[in-house]
Amino acid sequence: GNTSTDPGMIVPSLAGRYGTFRSSDRIFPDTKSSEITGLIARDTGLLAFTEGSTFAVVASDDGRGFKTVPISSTIGCVAPSSVVALPDGSVCWLGRNGFYRLIEKIENISGKIQTIINRITKSREKQAVAIFVPESEEYRCWVPMDGNQENSLCLIFDGSGWRRRANEHVSCVCISQDHRKYIFAGG
């Protein structure tokens, strides 16, 4: 998604043949030609985000291709690396006005920290990065604050409430895919 020639386009690969594309297969989730700002696979299909909308990309009715199903025309994603799938099947991400979670429908989960959300550097919010930490069962997202150019605050959601960690300048983060589940962060 978000190709250099058409930032609003998603190009699906052939089923079972990753990296193999048909030239005729092109999907435009948002008819306003908005840039794709995030993609994540789910059991039910692919979630595709623009800054102001969310769509599901699912198998078409004839099973030969794909179709888009609008989920929200007002809530999207501003930071592609903030989109994280949680073990319960839900997805969390940073949108224009806060953090959102999709279980069956999209809900704003950042109401209690809205004053902090309002301090995120808008011109840099696209660089926010996040992970889900399996041991503590937390969504952690590093964001730029108060005009800073670097992600300087970690906002941590445990499923019901928020806390924060300051003075961590993280620009990329991942978890090892083995039994140790080490967190690697760079910045």
Side-chain angles (χ1 to χ4, degrees):
N2 194 9
T3 67
S4 60
T5 57
D6 199 333
M9 180 173 58
I10 298 172
V11 183
S13 63
L14 297 175
R17 297 172 62 192
Y18 305 110
T20 304
F21 307 99
R22 260 191 239 138
S23 61
S24 61
D25 288 346
R26 302 289 183 257
I27 300 169
F28 294 89
D30 192 335
T31 56
K32 298 175 204 146
S33 298
S34 297
E35 175 182 351
I36 302 297
T37 58
L39 296 170
I40 190 164
R42 298 183 71 203
D43 291 342
T44 56
L46 178 74
L47 277 183
F49 299 93
T50 67
E51 191 171 309
S53 59
T54 304
F55 294 85
V57 179
V58 297
S60 60
D61 296 333
D62 64 8
R64 294 183 183 181
F66 299 95
K67 65 180 181 179
T68 60
V69 178
I71 295 175
S72 175
S73 61
T74 57
I75 298 170
C77 173
V78 295
S81 295
S82 73
V83 183
V84 175
L86 281 55
D88 65 1
S90 66
V91 175
C92 289
W93 69 92
L94 177 61
R96 264 189 250 166
N97 300 313
F99 285 95
Y100 296 91
R101 184 175 183 183
L102 172 65
I103 300 174
E104 291 181 20
K105 63 179 185 166
I106 296 175
E107 62 178 324
N108 183 319
I109 58 172
S110 57
K112 293 180 181 179
I113 61 165
Q114 195 60 47
T115 56
I116 295 170
I117 299 300
N118 295 340
R119 292 176 36 216
I120 293 175
T121 306
K122 293 297 179 193
S123 63
R124 295 281 182 163
E125 64 191 355
K126 185 176 188 173
Q127 70 192 31
V129 296
I131 57 169
F132 177 77
V133 182
E135 288 181 346
S136 58
E137 297 184 349
E138 297 171 333
Y139 170 81
R140 295 183 185 178
C141 187
W142 288 264
V143 295
M145 296 296 294
D146 300 324
N148 287 330
Q149 293 183 7
E150 297 178 327
N151 295 336
S152 56
L153 181 68
C154 178
L155 297 170
I156 303 166
F157 181 65
D158 63 10
S160 59
W162 290 89
R163 55 183 217 284
R164 34 187 183 171
R165 291 167 53 155
N167 300 319
E168 296 177 343
H169 299 277
V170 175
S171 59
C172 58
V173 64
C174 66
I175 294 185
S176 65
Q177 298 298 307
D178 60 12
H179 66 283
R180 299 172 296 179
K181 303 293 184 202
Y182 286 152
I183 297 172
F184 295 98

